[in-house]
Amino acid sequence: MGQSSSSLTPEMAAQIKTKVDEIIASHDVVVFSKSHCPYCTMAKKLLEQLEANAFVVELDSLSDGRAIQDYLQELTGQRTVPNIFIKQKHIGGNDSLQALNKRNELKPLL
Ligand SMILES: N[C@@H](CCC(=O)N[C@@H](CS)C(=O)NCC(=O)O)C(=O)O
């Protein structure tokens, strides 16, 4: 899945940071996902049901996916996918998303 951030030059690491920060800033709902991850499928399905129009980044289909995952860990403390943001706020993974929905607190965020 490509380079991890430990093998990146400072310039490449800065580019990854800029790219990820821009994705989060420019979309209301962002899911960093992997295409074969069942938790990602559950999260994407719920967001679809709520017509959230999520911007999905499938890390396993990107050459810099691993470096993005490393940066997400640095940014959020979370390494697993899905890694979800709503209106620039870090939500967490599928567990957190489903829990918000069960408490009827997800829809108002969208
Ligand atoms: N409790 C987490 C579980 C997430 C999880 O375990 N995701 C796996 C993929 S299915 C993962 O990120 N594994 C590490 C990796 O792919 O790098 C959630 O609800 O999001």
Side-chain angles (χ1 to χ4, degrees):
M1 207 208 322
Q3 281 177 304
S4 85
S5 59
S6 56
S7 62
L8 298 182
T9 64
E11 291 76 18
M12 287 158 81
Q15 276 174 15
I16 294 285
K17 176 180 171 3
T18 300
K19 173 173 162 169
V20 171
D21 290 350
E22 275 179 9
I23 288 171
I24 294 168
S26 58
H27 298 90
D28 278 351
V29 181
V30 180
V31 181
F32 294 94
S33 172
K34 288 187 185 175
S35 53
H36 300 294
C37 159
Y39 302 104
C40 302
T41 303
M42 282 187 258
K44 289 182 283 188
K45 195 185 270 186
L46 174 58
L47 290 166
E48 260 175 47
Q49 283 164 358
L50 297 175
E51 299 178 346
N53 193 24
F55 185 82
V56 177
V57 182
E58 298 292 2
L59 297 178
D60 55 341
S61 65
L62 297 176
S63 59
D64 57 1
R66 188 149 156 208
I68 292 174
Q69 192 172 2
D70 289 347
Y71 173 61
L72 286 170
Q73 181 170 22
E74 190 187 314
L75 182 67
T76 66
Q78 177 187 329
R79 182 158 188 86
T80 55
V81 289
N83 199 333
I84 302 163
F85 294 80
I86 299 178
K87 295 183 179 149
Q88 292 77 54
K89 181 175 183 284
H90 182 236
I91 297 298
N94 179 60
D95 291 347
S96 306
L97 189 78
Q98 302 289 340
L100 272 177
N101 189 46
K102 286 214 172 73
R103 298 197 303 268
N104 295 315
E105 292 172 13
L106 177 56
K107 189 86 182 157
L109 293 182
L110 298 171

